[in-house]
Amino acid sequence: MRLKLLVSIVLLSLYLYGCTGPEGQAGAGPQGFTRENLVQSSRRSEAFTTVEPTGVITLDRALNLALEHNLELKASSLDISAAEAGRAQAGLSPNPVLGVQAEEVAGEGNRSGFDGGESSVKISQRIEMAHKRDKRSNLASLEKELVQWDYKAKRLDVTKEVTEAFVAVLAWQQKLALAE
């Protein structure tokens, strides 16, 4: 009888607290690991990640340094990893759901205490029809492709900005050389 009571309590606690995150949201992860928080914290620590190149700087070297140390590109690469994980998860079937119900746990009279309590356990599994998993996988693949295009666009923006800045510096160097 004690084993039945213990199992009922464990199942009830799993049901109530099982798959929730710190804020009570299903699947909620630790705070501070969203893309927005990563970009914001990266911008705050930008002074610590600044690279000061020495010697002659060519356009190729400037582009390589900018692409390697750009924080938005690093965050976008994490978005690509998340989209890949979402694509992998979209191809899986849904998880079964465990339900626990306890009745008359603290009854009255001869059914008082835990001895008179009734508990039931229910396991359910959603069955997907009409190629729902295939559609979900296709959607996740398209989302991953969109994230990859966003990354490529950001990479091109960084390349354009660095090239424009490099040309501007060369122009000022020429003006300075002519002025001397």
Side-chain angles (χ1 to χ4, degrees):
M1 190 54 104
R2 287 187 178 269
L3 181 62
K4 182 178 177 183
L5 173 65
L6 180 63
V7 169
S8 297
I9 292 172
V10 168
L11 291 176
L12 179 63
S13 64
L14 284 175
Y15 176 72
L16 293 176
Y17 304 108
C19 297
T20 59
E23 277 75 42
Q25 300 170 348
Q31 288 187 355
F33 289 101
T34 63
R35 181 186 186 282
E36 291 80 19
N37 289 346
L38 178 66
V39 171
Q40 288 174 357
S41 67
S42 296
R43 285 183 180 151
R44 284 192 299 262
S45 65
E46 219 170 291
F48 300 111
T49 60
T50 302
V51 176
E52 293 293 333
T54 57
V56 177
I57 300 173
T58 63
L59 179 60
D60 285 337
R61 185 167 177 220
L63 287 172
N64 287 337
L65 285 171
L67 293 174
E68 183 179 331
H69 297 286
N70 186 286
L71 301 174
E72 287 190 26
L73 287 177
K74 289 180 181 181
S76 290
S77 69
L78 293 175
D79 286 344
I80 292 173
S81 298
E84 288 171 353
R87 167 63 183 96
Q89 186 174 2
L92 301 174
S93 61
N95 289 334
V97 177
L98 175 68
V100 178
Q101 183 176 5
E103 297 177 354
E104 299 182 27
V105 175
E108 297 177 8
N110 62 351
R111 297 181 59 95
S112 65
F114 289 105
D115 293 336
E118 297 175 6
S119 60
S120 60
V121 178
K122 175 178 77 170
I123 297 177
S124 61
Q125 174 70 43
R126 188 174 63 187
I127 299 173
E128 296 179 327
M129 303 178 98
H131 305 287
K132 191 170 184 175
R133 188 183 316 168
D134 294 336
K135 291 176 185 177
R136 191 172 59 239
S137 293
N138 287 338
L139 177 64
S141 294
L142 292 173
E143 287 174 348
K144 176 186 169 192
E145 196 173 315
L146 182 63
V147 170
Q148 288 173 330
W149 280 108
D150 286 343
Y151 175 80
K152 289 177 183 178
K154 286 178 184 175
R155 188 175 165 92
L156 287 173
D157 286 342
V158 169
T159 302
K160 178 187 81 92
E161 290 171 9
V162 169
T163 303
E164 287 174 350
F166 189 83
V167 169
V169 167
L170 284 179
W172 279 105
Q173 283 179 345
Q174 288 295 326
K175 288 180 183 180
L176 185 64
L178 289 175
E180 291 178 352

